[in-house]
C-alpha cells in the first residue's frame, strides 16, 4: 500500500475542470483548492502492479491545465496493510 499527498497547481480558471480530470484516475481524490487552482490531492494504491502511485503521479503532470505537481508526503509498505487489518479486526 502506498499513499501520497500532492499539491497540484493549475491555471486558476481551470481548477474545477482539472479537479474532475484528476479524479478520473484510479486511486486519486481531490480534497479542495479548486477555486484557487492549488489542488490538494491524494493518490493511493494497494500495491497493484497495474496501478502504481508513481505511474499515476507521472500521468497527472500530463493532464491539460496542470502547471506543476509537488509531492508533499509519501507513506508505503507492507506494514501499513498489516496495521489496517489489525484496526479493522
Amino acid at each position: 500500500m502506498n499513499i501520497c499527498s500532492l499539491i497540484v497547481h493549475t491555471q486558476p480558471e481551470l481548477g474545477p475542470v482539472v479537479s474532475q480530470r484528476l479524479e478520473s484516475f484510479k486511486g486519486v481524490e481531490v480534497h479542495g483548492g479548486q477555486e484557487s487552482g492549488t489542488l490538494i490531492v491524494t493518490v493511493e494504491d494497494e500495491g497493484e502492479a497495474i496501478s502504481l502511485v508513481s505511474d499515476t503521479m507521472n500521468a497527472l503532470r500530463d493532464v491539460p491545465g496542470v502547471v506543476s505537481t509537488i509531492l508533499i508526503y509519501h507513506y508505503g509498505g507492507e506494514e501499513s496493510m498489516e496495521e489496517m487489518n489489525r484496526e479493522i479486526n
Side-chain angles (χ1 to χ4, degrees):
M1 172 185 237
N2 289 289
I3 300 172
C4 294
S5 176
L6 307 160
I7 298 294
V8 177
H9 294 280
T10 72
Q11 298 167 351
E13 66 278 5
L14 296 180
V17 173
V18 172
S19 176
Q20 290 177 341
R21 291 175 181 161
L22 297 183
E23 288 194 329
S24 71
F25 286 86
K26 182 178 180 183
V28 174
E29 290 184 49
V30 178
H31 303 279
Q34 291 88 341
E35 335 53 61
S36 65
T38 303
L39 305 177
I40 303 162
V41 178
T42 55
V43 181
E44 180 178 347
D45 74 30
E46 294 181 4
E48 300 170 13
I50 297 170
S51 174
L52 295 175
V53 164
S54 59
D55 294 338
T56 302
M57 290 184 345
N58 286 332
L60 297 182
R61 293 186 308 211
D62 296 330
V63 171
V66 170
V67 175
S68 67
T69 61
I70 302 167
L71 177 64
I72 301 299
Y73 177 79
H74 172 254
Y75 179 78
E78 289 298 317
E79 66 278 358
S80 61
M81 288 299 291
E82 291 171 13
E83 289 174 20
M84 187 171 61
N85 286 332
R86 275 195 304 269
E87 288 178 13
I88 292 172
N89 297 319

